[in-house]
Amino acid sequence: MRFYRHLRVCLLLAVSLFLASQPAWATKRVALVVGNSSYQNAPLLPNPANDAEAIAATLKGAGFDVVDSRLNLAASDMRRALRDFADQARDADIALVYYAGHGIEIDGTNYLIPTDARLERDTDIYDETFSLDRILLAIEPARQLRVVIVDACRNNPFADTMKRTVASRSISRGLARVEPTVSNTLIAFAAKAGLTALDGNSKNSPYATALVKYIAKPGLDLRRAFGFVRDDVLQATGNRQEPYVYGSLGGEDVALVPAPKAEELTQAANPQSEIRRDYELALQLRNKAALSAFLTQHPDGYYSNLAKLQLNQLDAEDARVAATEKARQAEQQQARLVSQGAQRADQEKAAADLKAAEEARIAAERTKQAAQEQAAEAERKRTASETAIVAALSANKPAVENTVADNPAAATPVQDDKVAKVAALGTEPPQTDLAKADIAKSVQSELSRVGCFTGTVDGQWNAASQRSLALFNRHAGTKFDAKLASLDALDAIKLKPARVCPLICDHGYRADGDQCSKITCAEGSFLNDDNQCEKRREKKPVAKRNTDERPSRADRSARERSAPTADVPRRQATARSGSGSSGQIYCDQYLCRQVNRGCHLEYRGGGGPGGNTGNVEVCH
């Protein structure tokens, strides 16, 4: 009995040692890839099917145990695919879902749309689509890591035609922000919440192209992989699309594909591995401060030459931006002189300046292209060289292991120096100021493009720049803080394809497209203070009385207020009475008397106490 007891203990120990010695690549990884392109009630999406095939091929090449690839799924097919994948995820360590197609956000919840959906009203969303929570529920049983990649942030044709059953129900562009409730879960969107993604002009979208490049890179932490994807997409779309990742992981590196041991041996055997890591970190930061700091620490050598090429590329890009801005200003100056009818000499000078600025811009563009090609070629050669070294070390693995065993110090990196160098690259004080100035300069340039900024693009975020951003907020309906230049504001301005702020012209000129045209009024009209043509009014003649024979101002006022016979009552007391009168009375400048019988009065003009003719007695 004692012998069997000892034997049982030995077997248990052996099994435990065997399980503990299993390599990391024994982790079970499963993936579901869905690409919906052929929608029955919406226009065709060409890229999702191509993107899904590229992602599936990448994951299969990375050694995933299960890669279930489905294309153009109707509602019933999609429901069945999710059920089958949930069964696969129950005993998996890593579960990944990639979806490309149409998606929609209603009241803060994201939904993925099958190809047979109609969505005639907003309540159909609950019957004909699948919420993102349903996808998360399918991968929840995975033990170590859960990843959902959603490339569905396109302009949705259903949102415009959908009938609203409740007016207050919110239907937004893009997808809504999410916060996973299960730990070790990442949700990656092709674009930031509320914004849309671009399909691009090639076979695959910019987002899928970057994913294929980084997602299955051996040993690359998943968070860094999505960071590289973000950088590539921003560069490919001119900063119009920024991918975003929601969720969090722990402090350990988490890679979809584990790093091969040959890479570790390469780093231990290569004396320049630290310099290479410093260079790659500076290259990842991709700004002048980081590259200059690297060159200060490593002024000579292979990687310093690569850093100089990258620095030349950044300098060429800055020169190109400056030349482009100068050409734009010269073009505006020429258009302004033409619209204002300036002298011919001034217009010819402006045309010559524009030609010189355009030639300088073309030259800067060529210089930037050449620098970019040199840097890219150098990087390609570096990658090929390092790949060859890894292959050689893998083929000569026993010799390398013996070298490391004979000299253990060669496999131990100098961590203190490494931390100091990384700190010098990552926390250089001028770097923050340069980044802020670059952002401010970019925002000023974009504000100028949409007609909201007329100052100099110099990166100084002064009062004029703040007023320009406030003006953009007013006309674009945004609410960005005008006191600072932010990346969010820059992205929003870049999304505007044309002028946002109205063109403001001087008095005497009116806006005509992107130029100010002089206002010409017709003959007989003039330009008023409101910049409008107004008909000129003719002055009417005003009658004036002859006051030479008037004795006094009091007499003139009295006569103007009364009729010619108004003075009769005043002078009646001096009238002569007679029996041969007709009953009429008339007055001259001395007295009033009755008209004789058989006579009558005729008005001869003038009259009143001033001594004019007035009424005359006529007798026959």
Side-chain angles (χ1 to χ4, degrees):
M1 293 296 293
R2 182 177 300 175
F3 170 77
Y4 288 109
R5 187 181 299 114
H6 284 296
L7 180 60
R8 187 165 57 242
V9 171
C10 291
L11 289 175
L12 289 175
L13 287 174
V15 172
S16 300
L17 290 173
F18 174 78
L19 293 176
S21 63
Q22 289 299 303
W25 46 262
T27 301
K28 182 177 181 180
R29 298 166 295 168
V30 297
L32 172 65
V33 180
V34 178
N36 284 346
S37 287
S38 302
Y39 281 86
Q40 301 175 14
N41 303 293
L44 174 70
L45 288 177
N47 279 352
N50 299 332
D51 295 342
E53 291 177 351
I55 296 295
T58 301
L59 297 178
K60 289 178 181 178
F64 267 62
D65 298 274
V66 175
V67 179
D68 187 3
S69 179
R70 309 285 185 97
L71 299 179
N72 301 320
L73 296 183
S76 58
D77 299 329
M78 197 164 179
R79 188 176 295 107
R80 187 179 304 108
L82 287 174
R83 283 201 302 262
D84 295 342
F85 186 69
D87 295 336
Q88 298 286 350
R90 282 195 182 94
D91 59 346
D93 298 290
I94 296 176
L96 182 146
V97 174
Y98 172 84
Y99 172 83
H102 274 311
I104 193 170
E105 180 262 317
I106 294 184
D107 288 339
T109 302
N110 301 312
Y111 298 89
L112 309 183
I113 304 178
T115 56
D116 59 347
R118 291 182 176 274
L119 301 182
E120 297 177 349
R121 58 188 64 82
D122 52 8
T123 54
D124 293 345
I125 202 77
Y126 307 111
D127 302 323
E128 301 179 6
T129 65
F130 295 86
S131 70
L132 188 58
D133 293 337
R134 176 66 182 87
I135 309 298
L136 294 173
L137 186 64
I139 65 174
E140 186 176 355
R143 291 185 286 265
Q144 294 181 8
L145 177 66
R146 291 154 288 276
V147 181
V148 177
I149 304 175
V150 183
D151 190 1
C153 309
R154 297 168 173 83
N155 283 323
N156 197 310
F158 296 99
D160 297 331
T161 59
M162 187 184 298
K163 297 179 181 178
R164 308 297 200 274
T165 58
V166 178
S168 60
R169 181 167 287 126
S170 170
I171 301 178
S172 304
R173 65 198 300 263
L175 298 179
R177 177 187 180 93
V178 293
E179 291 296 341
T181 58
V182 180
S183 61
N184 293 331
T185 301
L186 290 182
I187 301 176
F189 283 174
K192 188 185 296 185
L195 300 179
T196 55
L198 304 176
D199 278 330
N201 299 321
S202 60
K203 179 181 178 182
N204 297 109
S205 68
Y207 185 62
T209 302
L211 281 175
V212 169
K213 183 177 180 181
Y214 295 109
I215 196 69
K217 198 169 184 179
L220 181 62
D221 180 67
L222 196 57
R223 288 157 294 196
R224 292 189 64 197
F226 281 120
F228 291 143
V229 169
R230 170 192 174 275
D231 294 343
D232 279 16
V233 173
L234 282 173
Q235 184 177 4
T237 61
N239 293 330
R240 289 180 294 170
Q241 177 182 341
E242 180 181 5
Y244 225 77
V245 179
Y246 302 94
S248 63
L249 301 178
E252 298 292 332
D253 286 350
V254 179
L256 287 182
V257 181
K261 290 185 178 182
E263 182 177 345
E264 300 174 2
L265 296 173
T266 302
Q267 293 179 358
N270 187 2
Q272 289 194 338
S273 59
E274 286 189 10
I275 301 177
R276 178 179 62 83
R277 287 195 294 268
D278 287 350
Y279 168 76
E280 289 178 346
L281 180 57
L283 189 63
Q284 179 183 348
L285 295 176
R286 196 168 182 78
N287 57 51
K288 292 183 178 180
L291 291 170
S292 299
F294 174 80
L295 288 173
T296 301
Q297 297 172 12
H298 309 289
D300 300 313
Y302 173 72
Y303 289 100
S304 65
N305 294 333
L306 294 178
K308 290 174 183 177
L309 289 176
Q310 296 294 334
L311 199 58
N312 291 339
Q313 180 182 354
L314 295 178
D315 290 335
E317 174 63 17
D318 291 345
R320 184 195 67 81
V321 172
T324 302
E325 177 60 22
K326 188 174 181 180
R328 186 187 67 80
Q329 292 178 357
E331 184 178 4
Q332 289 183 347
Q333 175 70 4
Q334 184 191 33
R336 185 181 66 81
L337 292 175
V338 171
S339 65
Q340 294 179 357
Q343 295 183 358
R344 183 175 180 180
D346 294 337
Q347 293 187 21
E348 290 177 351
K349 182 178 182 302
D353 292 342
L354 175 59
K355 183 179 179 181
E358 186 63 19
E359 290 176 352
R361 184 193 66 80
I362 295 174
E365 187 75 29
R366 290 175 180 172
T367 303
K368 178 248 180 182
Q369 185 68 23
Q372 186 175 6
E373 290 176 357
Q374 288 180 355
E377 179 65 16
E379 275 301 296
R380 187 190 65 78
K381 291 181 179 179
R382 179 181 75 89
T383 304
S385 175
E386 291 177 354
T387 303
I389 293 174
V390 171
L393 288 172
S394 298
N396 196 20
K397 180 178 177 182
V400 174
E401 290 178 345
N402 293 334
T403 301
V404 175
D406 295 337
N407 187 12
T412 305
V414 183
Q415 293 295 334
D416 295 338
D417 293 341
K418 174 63 179 176
V419 172
K421 293 173 182 177
V422 172
L425 289 174
T427 61
E428 186 77 7
Q431 177 185 335
T432 303
D433 297 335
L434 286 173
K436 290 182 179 179
D438 290 341
I439 294 174
K441 192 173 182 180
S442 299
V443 173
Q444 287 175 339
S445 178
E446 288 300 317
L447 285 173
S448 177
R449 181 183 62 82
V450 298
C452 300
F453 181 67
T454 57
T456 303
V457 180
D458 53 6
Q460 299 296 325
W461 196 250
N462 49 24
S465 301
Q466 295 176 15
R467 287 194 299 269
S468 299
L469 184 53
L471 188 64
F472 175 82
N473 285 336
R474 187 185 317 142
H475 291 284
T478 55
K479 296 180 180 180
F480 297 111
D481 186 2
K483 294 182 180 179
L484 59 95
S486 62
L487 289 174
D488 290 338
L490 178 62
D491 293 341
I493 300 171
K494 286 184 175 181
L495 290 175
K496 301 298 181 182
R499 173 180 289 274
V500 174
C501 299
L503 182 63
I504 300 176
C505 301
D506 296 334
H507 185 266
Y509 294 84
R510 66 160 57 96
D512 184 11
D514 290 336
Q515 297 181 352
C516 292
S517 301
K518 189 174 182 180
I519 301 174
T520 304
C521 296
E523 185 177 359
S525 301
F526 69 98
L527 191 67
N528 60 17
D529 294 337
D530 295 330
N531 226 31
Q532 299 292 331
C533 289
E534 182 178 341
K535 189 174 182 181
R536 199 181 302 277
R537 298 180 181 177
E538 297 181 358
K539 295 184 178 180
K540 297 182 178 179
V542 179
K544 297 183 179 180
R545 296 182 182 274
N546 187 3
T547 60
D548 294 340
E549 300 179 0
R550 297 179 185 176
S552 65
R553 182 176 296 176
D555 292 339
R556 289 198 306 270
S557 299
R559 188 175 67 252
E560 288 171 358
R561 290 194 302 268
S562 61
T565 59
D567 271 346
V568 172
R570 180 175 62 83
R571 298 177 178 269
Q572 256 183 341
T574 61
R576 300 175 183 177
S577 61
S579 58
S581 63
S582 63
Q584 291 180 310
I585 296 176
Y586 78 101
C587 302
D588 56 18
Q589 70 181 94
Y590 303 106
L591 53 83
C592 295
R593 62 188 179 84
Q594 292 183 346
V595 178
N596 294 324
R597 187 181 298 275
C599 299
H600 64 278
L601 296 177
E602 288 184 2
Y603 180 69
R604 300 292 178 86
N612 293 329
T613 303
N615 294 324
V616 177
E617 182 180 17
V618 178
C619 299
H620 298 287

